[in-house]
Amino acid sequence: MCSSGGPMADIDLKKLKTKKYHCKDCGNSFKGLGKKVVCPSCQSDNVELAE
């Protein structure tokens, strides 16, 4: 039997350094991580860091 990819990573999401964002298009507030953050509700990249 063949498989692709490596072993599954066991990541504790609570320990990641997430930031709070606000979507300028739909108004959704959410936590994000990474360089290219997109809104999980509308998939827009028109987001800003929330204060």
Side-chain angles (χ1 to χ4, degrees):
M1 181 186 261
C2 290
S3 66
S4 62
M8 294 292 291
D10 188 20
I11 299 172
D12 187 0
L13 296 177
K14 294 177 184 175
K15 291 183 180 180
L16 294 177
K17 301 283 184 178
T18 58
K19 296 180 182 177
K20 293 182 181 180
Y21 290 91
H22 177 79
C23 179
K24 293 181 180 179
D25 291 337
C26 73
N28 184 34
S29 294
F30 61 95
K31 290 183 179 180
L33 179 70
K35 293 181 181 179
K36 286 185 120 181
V37 178
V38 296
C39 176
S41 294
C42 69
Q43 306 305 311
S44 172
D45 62 353
N46 189 15
V47 299
E48 65 183 355
L49 279 171
E51 294 181 18

